C-alpha cells in the first residue's frame, strides 16, 4: 500500500461532531471543490488494465473518447465555474458508456478508482457522505479546509518564473495542503473510517498514471504547408510528435527558435516529428510568402502548417504564442508548455526532452 493510500484509509484521530446527517436527497454542496478526474482515468492504460477491459471494450471506449476529447481539451481554458458543467456532461457520457458496455464489477472498481483520484475531496461528494453517514457540520469543516488550499494554489499559480514571492507562496500552499490532510484525521469518526475503507476497496495510487490527457486534435486541412506535404496526426501514430504554435514576428517565439532547431537536428533521427503551426497575429503574418521566407531565414526546416484562418489554433484550444505540445506514439497529449521555454531561467526544453526520451522507450 502506498503512503498516499495509507493516509487516506488509515485515519488515527477523531473528534466528536454534532449536526444533521447528509441524506441521499441532499444535492452536492461543494461541487467546485471536488476534482473531476474521471476523464483522465479512462485515458490511462493502467486503469484499463485494472478494470480488465477487453481489447474490444478498449477499442469501443476510444471511439467515444475521440468524440469527447476535443471538447474536454478545449475546456481547460474555461473558468472553473464554466468548466465544471462541461466536464460533468462529458463524465455523464462516459458513465453511460460504462453502464452499457461493462460489467457491474468493472463499474464498481472504476468508481473506487475515481474516489482515489479525488483524494480527500471525495468526502465532499454527496454519495460518499451519505454512504459513510457524514454529518453536514463535518463536511462544512472539510470544505473550508479545501477552500483555503485552493486559494493558496491559485495565488501560487498566478506567479511567473523568477517571481520573488514564489518561495513564500509555495510554503503557504504546502501548509494549507497539510492542514487539509491533518484536518481529516481530526474530523472522521471511527465508524466512518471503517466505512470509508470498505468503500475504497483495494488500494490504488493514481499518481503513478502517466497518460491522463486527451487525444491530440487532428490537423485541420489547410492550403499551405512548408517543408512537407500535408501531414495528419493519424498517419504519425507510432512516432513521438512535438507540435508548436508560433508567429514569425513574435519576439517570444524567436527565443524558442534555437531550441526547435536543436530538436530538429537531434531528435528527428530518433523517430520524433517536429511540426510548427504558424498562426498569424499581424497582417504580414497572413502573407504565405512572408511566412515561407521567414522560415527560410530562421532556418526552420521542419514541417510547418500555415494556419491562416486559425482553424488549428481553435481546434487545439491554443491561447498564446509560443506553445509546445508533446504527443505520444498513440496520439495522446502527454504535456504542454505555454511561453518561452527558457523564460527567466526556466528549463522547459530539458523537461520536454527528458519526456521525449521516455516516450520513445514506450511500446
Amino acid at each position: 500500500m502506498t503512503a498516499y493510500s495509507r493516509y487516506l484509509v488509515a485515519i488515527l484521530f477523531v473528534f466528536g461532531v454534532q449536526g444533521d446527517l447528509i441524506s441521499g436527497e441532499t444535492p452536492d454542496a461543494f461541487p467546485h471543490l471536488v476534482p473531476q478526474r474521471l476523464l483522465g482515468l479512462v485515458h490511462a492504460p493502467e486503469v484499463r488494465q485494472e478494470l480488465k477491459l477487453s481489447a474490444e471494450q478498449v477499442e469501443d471506449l476510444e471511439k467515444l473518447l475521440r468524440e469527447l476529447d476535443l471538447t474536454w481539451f478545449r475546456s481547460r481554458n474555461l473558468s472553473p465555474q464554466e468548466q465544471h458543467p462541461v466536464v460533468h456532461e462529458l463524465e455523464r457520457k462516459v458513465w453511460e458508456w460504462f453502464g452499457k458496455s461493462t460489467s457491474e464489477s468493472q463499474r464498481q472498481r472504476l468508481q473506487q478508482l475515481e474516489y482515489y483520484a479525488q483524494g480527500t475531496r471525495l468526502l465532499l461528494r454527496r454519495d460518499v457522505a451519505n454512504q459513510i453517514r457524514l454529518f453536514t457540520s463535518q463536511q462544512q469543516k472539510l470544505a473550508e479546509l479545501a477552500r483555503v488550499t485552493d486559494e493558496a494554489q491559485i495565488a501560487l499559480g498566478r506567479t511567473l518564473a523568477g517571481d520573488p514571492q514564489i518561495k513564500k507562496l509555495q510554503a503557504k500552499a504546502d501548509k494549507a495542503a497539510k492542514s487539509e490532510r491533518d484536518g481529516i484525521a481530526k474530523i472522521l469518526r471511527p465508524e466512518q473510517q471503517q466505512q470509508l475503507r470498505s468503500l475504497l476497496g483495494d488500494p490504488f495510487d493514481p499518481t503513478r498514471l502517466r497518460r491522463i490527457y486527451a487525444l491530440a486534435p487532428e490537423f485541420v486541412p489547410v492550403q499551405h504547408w512548408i517543408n512537407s506535404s500535408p501531414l495528419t496526426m493519424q498517419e504519425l501514430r507510432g512516432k513521438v510528435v512535438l507540435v508548436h504554435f508560433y508567429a514569425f514576428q513574435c519576439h517570444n517565439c524567436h527565443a524558442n527558435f534555437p531550441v526547435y532547431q536543436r530538436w530538429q537536428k537531434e531528435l528527428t533521427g530518433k523517430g520524433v516529428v517536429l511540426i510548427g503551426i504558424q498562426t498569424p497575429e499581424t497582417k504580414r503574418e497572413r502573407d504565405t510568402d512572408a511566412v515561407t521566407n521567414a522560415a527560410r531565414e530562421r532556418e526552420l526546416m521542419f514541417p510547418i502548417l500555415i494556419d491562416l484562418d486559425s482553424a488549428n489554433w481553435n481546434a487545439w484550444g491554443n491561447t498564446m504564442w509560443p506553445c509546445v505540445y508533446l504527443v505520444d506514439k498513440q496520439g495522446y497529449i502527454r504535456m504542454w508548455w505555454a511561453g518561452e521555454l527558457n523564460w527567466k531561467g526556466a528549463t522547459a526544453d530539458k523537461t520536454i526532452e527528458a519526456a521525449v526520451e521516455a516516450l520513445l522507450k514506450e511500446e
Side-chain angles (χ1 to χ4, degrees):
M1 182 182 293
T2 67
Y4 176 88
S5 300
R6 287 197 299 271
Y7 149 69
L8 193 57
V9 301
I11 300 173
L12 300 178
F13 303 103
V14 289
F15 291 165
V17 184
Q18 299 299 317
D20 296 329
L21 283 172
I22 297 171
S23 71
E25 292 74 31
T26 306
D28 285 336
F30 314 102
H32 298 297
L33 292 175
V34 181
Q36 295 169 300
R37 304 293 192 216
L38 181 65
L39 292 167
L41 287 172
V42 296
H43 282 75
E46 299 90 343
V47 168
R48 297 173 183 181
Q49 293 167 7
E50 179 77 13
L51 300 179
K52 298 180 174 60
L53 296 182
S54 68
E56 292 77 13
Q57 285 176 315
V58 169
E59 182 179 1
D60 195 42
L61 175 60
E62 293 212 333
K63 289 181 183 178
L64 173 66
L65 296 180
R66 280 193 288 272
E67 297 175 7
L68 304 184
D69 276 358
L70 280 175
T71 300
W72 179 41
F73 194 56
R74 288 196 296 259
S75 75
R76 73 191 188 279
N77 299 320
L78 301 175
S79 69
Q81 290 73 24
E82 295 171 319
Q83 184 187 54
H84 188 274
V86 174
V87 176
H88 179 76
E89 175 61 17
L90 299 178
E91 290 183 335
R92 185 193 65 77
K93 292 180 179 179
V94 170
W95 277 118
E96 184 179 77
W97 181 88
F98 269 85
K100 296 176 181 178
S101 306
T102 64
S103 67
E104 176 61 31
S105 62
Q106 288 173 318
R107 294 191 292 273
Q108 180 180 5
R109 186 54 178 159
L110 177 60
Q111 182 65 87
Q112 292 174 336
L113 301 189
E114 184 182 31
Y115 290 155
Y116 275 109
Q118 290 172 334
T120 58
R121 303 290 179 89
L122 89 163
L123 294 168
L124 301 180
R125 294 176 54 140
R126 182 205 65 191
D127 55 347
V128 172
N130 187 43
Q131 290 182 74
I132 70 170
R133 298 181 64 78
L134 199 65
F135 288 93
T136 302
S137 55
Q138 289 177 297
Q139 200 175 55
Q140 288 172 341
K141 290 183 178 181
L142 294 169
E144 182 56 34
L145 292 170
R147 285 195 190 95
V148 173
T149 299
D150 284 357
E151 289 170 1
Q153 288 292 344
I154 289 171
L156 178 63
R158 287 174 177 160
T159 61
L160 298 174
D163 190 323
Q165 292 296 313
I166 287 180
K167 186 174 182 180
K168 179 180 179 180
L169 291 173
Q170 182 66 65
K172 185 175 181 180
D174 292 343
K175 182 179 179 181
K178 184 177 185 301
S179 295
E180 185 177 353
R181 294 193 300 269
D182 294 347
I184 290 177
K186 299 175 181 179
I187 292 170
L188 290 185
R189 294 179 168 184
E191 64 272 18
Q192 292 168 332
Q193 298 176 39
Q194 182 59 43
Q195 291 162 342
L196 182 59
R197 294 189 190 97
S198 177
L199 189 66
L200 289 168
D202 293 337
F204 183 81
D205 183 3
T207 63
R208 67 184 177 89
L209 304 181
R210 296 172 296 172
R211 193 181 79 194
I212 56 173
Y213 299 126
L215 283 158
E218 185 54 86
F219 297 131
V220 179
V222 297
Q223 186 175 356
H224 301 285
W225 280 75
I226 303 173
N227 303 325
S228 172
S229 58
L231 300 172
T232 67
M233 290 302 305
Q234 181 61 41
E235 70 185 62
L236 293 172
R237 294 291 173 89
K239 295 182 179 294
V240 175
V241 183
L242 284 162
V243 176
H244 71 88
F245 285 82
Y246 80 101
F248 75 80
Q249 290 186 306
C250 161
H251 293 293
N252 298 102
C253 298
H254 294 173
N256 281 359
F257 286 170
V259 176
Y260 302 154
Q261 293 164 351
R262 186 175 78 246
W263 287 350
Q264 175 70 9
K265 180 180 179 180
E266 298 178 358
L267 298 179
T268 54
K270 299 180 179 181
V272 178
V273 178
L274 176 63
I275 296 176
I277 298 181
Q278 147 74 42
T279 304
E281 183 179 18
T282 67
K283 181 178 180 180
R284 186 159 178 254
E285 289 164 348
R286 298 184 182 279
D287 183 332
T288 56
D289 290 336
V291 174
T292 302
N293 291 335
R296 186 180 300 114
E297 292 170 3
R298 295 283 181 172
E299 298 183 350
L300 306 180
M301 305 306 295
F302 43 80
I304 296 173
L305 180 162
I306 303 181
D307 189 31
L308 292 181
D309 296 326
S310 301
N312 286 276
W313 175 282
N314 294 331
W316 286 68
N318 201 58
T319 59
M320 67 180 297
W321 299 268
C323 193
V324 180
Y325 298 87
L326 176 58
V327 182
D328 69 15
K329 297 176 185 178
Q330 287 73 44
Y332 286 88
I333 295 169
R334 299 295 282 267
M335 66 177 296
W336 62 93
W337 179 269
E340 292 183 26
L341 293 162
N342 300 126
W343 176 260
K344 292 188 177 181
T347 56
D349 57 334
K350 298 302 181 184
T351 300
I352 291 173
E353 288 163 20
V356 165
E357 294 295 335
L359 292 184
L360 287 170
K361 296 175 183 177
E362 287 187 354
E363 296 296 333

